[in-house]
Amino acid sequence: MAVTILITDRNLNVLGDPIDGWTDLSCDVNYKQPASGSITLPAWPRYMALLQPGNRLVVIRDGGIWCAGPMETPQDFVWDLTGNADPGTVTVSFTDDLALVAGYLTYPTPTAAFGSQTTTTDVVRKIAATNAETIIRALVNENCGPGALAARQIPHLVLDSVAGVGSVTSISTRFEALLDVCRTVAATDGLGFRTRQDGNQIKFGVYAPADRTATARFSQGLGNLRSVSFTLAAPLATSELVQGGNDPAEQVPTGDPANKRVYVEVASGAAADWYRVEKLVDETGTADDSGGELTQAGTLALGDDNPQATLATVTVDTDDLKAGRDFGLGDKVTVQLPTGLEVADIVQTIRLEATANEGELVTTIVGSSDQTTTLATVRAVRNLARRLGRLEVR
């Protein structure tokens, strides 16, 4: 088997020898989301001593790092007199280093400790009129990277090489989840971001996914399509009516230029095929659209509300087409339905499954499939959390 498991400390130093004797491994790497994995091991004392808070798990496949990051549940131990006899088994849940970045909020003044933040309620961290990649890199650098306060720095985290991707945009943020803000900035250009371990460094980088619809194709005839479902439904909105400007609840003198609302409509054009559906997007606190922030909010909303052509597909690696070699997370690929219809969508998750007896299997989830619930519910919960977060920090 070409899979190797290592345990490291938080400083990326390998502890002990490679882990053997494991029975089941599952690891999902996800597009713009932290990874999710688990592995089951014999609960030998030498392993239990390594499965401690702060340590990391590294999955190596075919000589390259597939996933590396902290253990979220270092020990889930089971022993009984039947299937889990001496020494018992322990299941470890782990993620990748992007989860470390996900643990941070955006400080209005990144150079000041939390207790020293400016007390004025309307102070935000604003990065204006610059490249989207530059904004994402700056947000990570100043909140948890080498440019952050010493107490907030993630050990060994550095910025990866500049990819030179993304158009000019702006962002204003105040105590929001760092990855949520990064996803907002990335939305307009469809950018991706990730962490990767390289030697003794954890590198955070931004990239532009590729259009591989001509070369990465999945179908029943090619033998690389395991399951597929496709739903076509009307859009939830065709016109996002973005409302910015001053909060009416604030006491602004009559006639003050700040005492105004700003309105921007962002339309998808889908009304020509369907019908017009309007939705209000509240961006109160964003003064104007000079940096494209209101337009960006409308574009992000359209990503959720466009015609609901949901594709849920699971593909499998073949010798001719392999995940990580021929396509990656965020890339657009083509799926041919048994009906003959061809649908292009993006790669959301690449999953590695391995067992001691049956070897390994790599599958790819293309489209808007979700592991636990419907995508609409996931989007609704995330949107609610984002809105509540903004209210809490005003």
Side-chain angles (χ1 to χ4, degrees):
M1 185 177 294
V3 175
T4 301
I5 308 297
L6 301 175
I7 304 294
T8 78
D9 62 17
R10 65 177 68 248
N11 292 314
L12 283 60
N13 299 309
V14 176
L15 304 175
D17 298 321
I19 302 297
D20 57 18
W22 56 270
T23 53
D24 296 284
L25 168 69
S26 176
C27 181
D28 291 357
V29 288
N30 302 308
Y31 180 48
K32 294 191 290 189
Q33 300 281 354
S36 175
S38 67
I39 187 170
T40 301
L41 313 169
W44 294 326
R46 67 177 184 274
Y47 287 171
M48 300 300 283
L50 300 178
L51 303 178
Q52 300 296 325
N55 286 347
R56 302 166 67 257
L57 191 141
V58 181
V59 179
I60 299 174
R61 179 175 182 254
D62 295 334
I65 295 179
W66 178 272
C67 179
M71 293 183 283
E72 296 182 305
T73 306
Q75 298 184 15
D76 186 355
F77 173 76
V78 175
W79 174 91
D80 58 42
L81 290 175
T82 55
N84 293 292
D86 294 342
T89 61
V90 59
T91 299
V92 180
S93 298
F94 60 93
T95 183
D96 63 8
D97 292 309
L98 192 60
L100 301 177
V101 180
Y104 286 75
L105 301 179
T106 57
Y107 277 18
T109 307
T111 55
F114 180 74
S116 300
Q117 294 294 308
T118 304
T119 56
T120 306
T121 59
D122 61 355
V123 171
V124 297
R125 173 68 173 109
K126 183 175 179 66
I127 306 178
T130 190
N131 172 274
E133 178 189 9
T134 302
I135 292 177
I136 295 172
R137 288 168 61 91
L139 288 168
V140 171
N141 179 54
E142 67 190 20
N143 283 288
C144 61
L149 295 172
R152 301 185 76 207
Q153 291 179 12
I154 296 174
H156 303 281
L157 179 68
V158 299
L159 297 179
D160 211 336
S161 301
V162 175
V165 295
S167 57
V168 173
T169 187
S170 300
I171 191 69
S172 295
T173 180
R174 182 174 186 269
F175 295 126
E176 294 179 84
L178 177 54
L179 280 195
D180 283 352
V181 182
C182 291
R183 281 188 283 265
T184 298
V185 177
T188 301
D189 299 305
L191 301 181
F193 48 80
R194 59 196 166 200
T195 56
R196 63 185 182 93
Q197 181 177 330
D198 183 10
N200 64 348
Q201 293 181 319
I202 300 169
K203 294 184 175 180
F204 175 91
V206 182
Y207 67 97
D211 184 342
R212 304 192 186 277
T213 51
T215 57
R217 302 175 62 84
F218 302 91
S219 71
Q220 187 177 11
L222 293 172
N224 56 12
L225 188 61
R226 295 187 82 188
S227 68
V228 59
S229 63
F230 177 72
T231 303
L232 182 63
L236 301 179
T238 61
S239 291
E240 306 290 350
L241 308 180
V242 187
Q243 174 182 260
N246 184 58
D247 188 341
E250 294 181 4
Q251 299 298 314
V252 179
T254 302
D256 191 309
N259 191 14
K260 66 177 182 178
R261 279 294 193 185
V262 179
Y263 302 103
V264 174
E265 179 177 355
V266 182
S268 66
D273 295 324
W274 296 88
Y275 38 80
R276 184 178 177 89
V277 184
E278 300 175 342
K279 190 180 83 173
L280 183 67
V281 179
D282 186 10
E283 289 295 311
T284 296
T286 301
D288 54 47
D289 198 38
S290 59
E293 290 182 73
L294 298 180
T295 298
Q296 183 184 66
T299 302
L300 186 65
L302 280 179
D304 291 341
D305 295 335
N306 271 329
Q308 304 298 289
T310 56
L311 175 68
T313 302
V314 178
T315 72
V316 63
D317 265 10
T318 65
D319 290 339
D320 295 327
L321 188 62
K322 291 189 175 184
R325 186 191 70 185
D326 303 310
F327 62 90
L329 292 170
D331 288 351
K332 183 175 285 188
V333 299
T334 299
V335 178
Q336 185 181 62
L337 308 183
T339 62
L341 177 67
E342 289 191 351
V343 181
D345 213 328
I346 65 173
V347 175
Q348 295 284 359
T349 297
I350 302 176
R351 173 180 298 160
L352 170 65
E353 297 176 285
T355 63
N357 298 323
E358 299 178 9
E360 62 187 63
L361 175 69
V362 175
T363 57
T364 301
I365 297 177
V366 179
S368 51
S369 176
D370 188 82
Q371 317 293 319
T372 58
T373 185
T374 64
L375 184 68
T377 301
V378 173
R379 286 172 171 164
V381 170
R382 287 176 182 165
N383 185 50
L384 177 62
R386 180 170 176 268
R387 291 169 61 190
L388 289 175
R390 288 195 165 193
L391 288 173
E392 287 171 355
V393 299
R394 283 181 186 170

